[in-house]
Amino acid sequence: MLMSAAPHRIVAVLAVLAVNVRCTGEISDALPGGPGPEVEQCVAGPLLPSATPLALLSPDQYLRSVRAVLADNAIQAELDPVAGDTLTQIATEKLAAAAEAIVARPSFATLRAGICGGRAPTACADDFIASFARRLFRRPASTEELAWLRDRFDKAATDLGADDALNVVAEIILQAPQTLYLRVDGIPGEGDLRFLDGYERAGRLAFFLWDGAPDDALLEAAAQGLGDDEALRAQVDRMLTDPRAREPMVQRFVDWLELDGSNLHTPLEQTRTNPDKFPADSESLRAAMRIETEALVERALFERDGSIDWLLNTRDAYVNGELADLYGVAHLAEDPATFVWTELPASERAGLFTRAAFLSLYANPNVQSPIKRGAFLVKRTLCVALGDPPPNVDDRPIEGGASPGVVTSTREAVTNKTKDASCSACHAFLNPFGYALGTYDALGAFATSETVNASDGTPHQFSIDAAVTLPGGEAGLAVNGPVELSDYLANNEEVYQCFAKRWFGSAFARAPSRDEECALRVMGAELASSKRLGDFIVALVRSEAFTQTRVAEQP
C-alpha cells in the first residue's frame, strides 16, 4: 500500500500553494481553502458560539418532522420552498392544504387514538394538545400556549363539535410558527453568551443528524438537560444507528459530490457522453451509478462505523447488470436489474473516486477530463480554493487531443493547453490529480490505452500515462494511477481537515471564524487519526459552538 508523506510536510506544501499560487484569482484559504501560513504556530482555543438566526424549516425538514411524529413515511405534500424567513401567501395556502390532508390520514387517527385512549374528545383535549404540540414544537408548550390552544379547541367545538375540534387544533399546531421555525434563545450566561437548554440542544442535534424533529427518546433526554458529554454521546450513537439518519447523511455526500448538479454541470442523470463513442450510456445506467454511490456511502457510514478511509479505498461495488458490464465484472444474479455486492479488480479500482458516477460526471462528452476531475479533488477533498481562470481563457473542452496537424494523447493535449503562464500556476497543481485518473474513459470504463482520431479521421493509439507527483515530502510524492491516488487521499491529513471544515459548515451553516481555525484543525487531526466520521460528529456536538449561542447584534 502507498504510504502518505508526513502530515506536516503535506501541510507545508499546501500552505505554500495557498499563499503563492495565483491564476486570475488564487489558490487560497479564503473559502475554506488550504491552511494558511500560520497554521503550525496557532494556539487552539474553543469553537466559539455565534448568534443563531431564526430559521424557517425547509419543505423536506417539515415533512420529515411530520412523518416522524405520525410514524407515517408515506406523507407527501406540495410545499413551496421559501427564501428567507417569511412565508409567501401561496406558501401559506399550500401549508394549510397540507395540514388538512395530514389530519385526514389514518396515521393521524391512530396517533390521536393512542393519546386519548378511548376518552371522549373533550376529556382528552388537554392531553392531546400537550402531546401533539410537544412533538411538533420540539419542546413542551408553555402555559400560555396551552391555554391559547385550548381556547381554539373550545371555540371550534362550539361550532363543529368536539370531535372535529381536535382535528382543527391539530391543524393549527401543524401550521404554528413554533413548528415552522427553528428558534434558539438560550439561557443567559456571561455577557452576550447563552447556553442552549436541553430541548434546544435536542432540536439542533436532530436537525443536524436527521434533518427533522427530535423523537420521543431524544425529547426525554432533553428533559434531563443533555448537559453532559456522555448524554450527548449516547444520543449521537443512538441517532446514527437510526434509519432516519440514512437519507440526510447520505445526501450530504451527494451534495459534496454535486451529483444533483451545480452551476457548472448538469445532474448525473442528465449528463451524457457521445452516443456514437459510448453506446452503453443510458438513463438506466446513470441511475445505477447513483444507486451504487449512495450504497457505498451508506455502507461506509452505517456498516463500517463511519470509516472515511474505507470509503476512499474500498473495492466493494454495488452493481446491476449494466454497471457490472461497465466495470468488467460478473453480475451474480439471475435478473440483470438486481443489484448485488461484488468486488472490483484490485489493480483497477479503489474507493469512491474510481466509480462511474464521479468519473462520468466530471468528463467531457467524447473524452475524460483531467481538468474537471482534478479541480474537484483539489477543491472538494483538499479544500483549496481555486481562483477564476483568465478572462481570455480557451474553455473549449479537449476532444480527444487532436488539433490541426497534431495528434496527441489527452494528457499531452491538456498539458499543452494549460502551460501558459496565466494558467500553469493553478493547473500545475490540479492537473496531476486528474492525470492519475487517466485510466478511465468519459463513461468511467477502465482502459490502459486511448484512441485519438486525427482531423482526417485516422485513428491513433496512445498508452495512458497515469504516473504523477502530488504534494508531499520535500519533492512531492510519486503516485502511479488511481489505486495509489485513492490511497494517497485516504492517508492525507488534509483530506480529513477538509471533511472537518465541510461538516462544521453543515452543522452551523457558516464557515469557521479565524479564531476557530486552530480548534478545528485539532479536531481535523483527531479525525485523521481515527478516520471515523462519527468520532468527529461527537466532538462537534460537544463543542461550545454547538451547545451555546450568542445574542444577535442589533442592526
Side-chain angles (χ1 to χ4, degrees), residues 78-82 86-98:
E78 183 185 352
L79 300 172
D80 263 19
V82 178
T86 303
L87 287 171
T88 63
Q89 181 175 345
I90 190 170
T92 302
E93 292 170 355
K94 288 185 176 182
L95 179 64

Side-chain angles (χ1 to χ4, degrees), residues 77-262:
E78 183 185 352
L79 300 172
D80 263 19
V82 178
D85 58 8
T86 303
L87 287 171
T88 63
Q89 181 175 345
I90 190 170
T92 302
E93 292 170 355
K94 288 185 176 182
L95 179 64
E100 184 176 356
I102 290 165
V103 168
R105 294 184 66 84
S107 55
F108 175 77
T110 299
L111 176 66
R112 176 178 146 168
I115 296 171
C116 291
R119 289 175 292 166
T122 302
C124 167
D126 288 339
D127 287 343
F128 174 81
I129 291 169
S131 178
F132 199 59
R134 173 178 176 269
R135 296 177 184 187
L136 284 165
F137 291 0
R138 304 172 291 277
R139 58 168 174 78
S142 68
T143 302
E144 293 78 8
E145 290 166 337
L146 292 173
W148 187 88
L149 288 167
R150 176 64 198 227
D151 182 62
R152 299 307 97 183
F153 170 81
D154 291 338
K155 285 183 169 64
T158 300
D159 296 334
L160 305 173
D163 190 66
D164 285 342
L166 270 188
N167 293 348
V168 169
V169 80
E171 290 182 36
I172 291 172
I173 292 170
L174 284 163
Q175 300 171 75
Q178 294 91 327
T179 297
L180 300 177
Y181 288 86
L182 291 173
R183 175 175 172 173
V184 175
D185 293 322
I187 302 167
E190 183 178 346
D192 64 349
L193 194 64
R194 299 289 186 270
F195 296 90
L196 274 61
D197 67 24
Y199 294 103
E200 291 169 331
R201 293 185 184 199
R204 179 169 278 183
L205 191 58
F207 281 96
F208 177 40
L209 299 184
W210 289 345
D211 210 23
D215 62 358
D216 286 341
L218 185 54
L219 289 174
E220 289 299 326
Q224 305 303 315
L226 273 179
D228 64 81
D229 287 350
E230 289 309 310
L232 277 172
R233 176 78 196 225
Q235 289 302 315
V236 170
D237 290 344
R238 179 185 71 85
M239 294 172 72
L240 287 177
T241 61
D242 190 286
R244 279 169 287 192
R246 294 185 177 245
E247 181 183 347
M249 295 288 281
V250 170
Q251 185 61 43
R252 285 191 174 97
F253 281 84
V254 169
D255 294 341
W256 174 57
L257 293 169
E258 297 182 341
L259 298 188
D260 294 330
S262 73

Side-chain angles (χ1 to χ4, degrees), residues 494-507:
E494 289 309 303
V495 172
Y496 297 91
Q497 294 287 356
C498 189
F499 265 99
K501 282 190 176 183
R502 294 200 179 279
W503 281 79
F504 178 96
S506 178

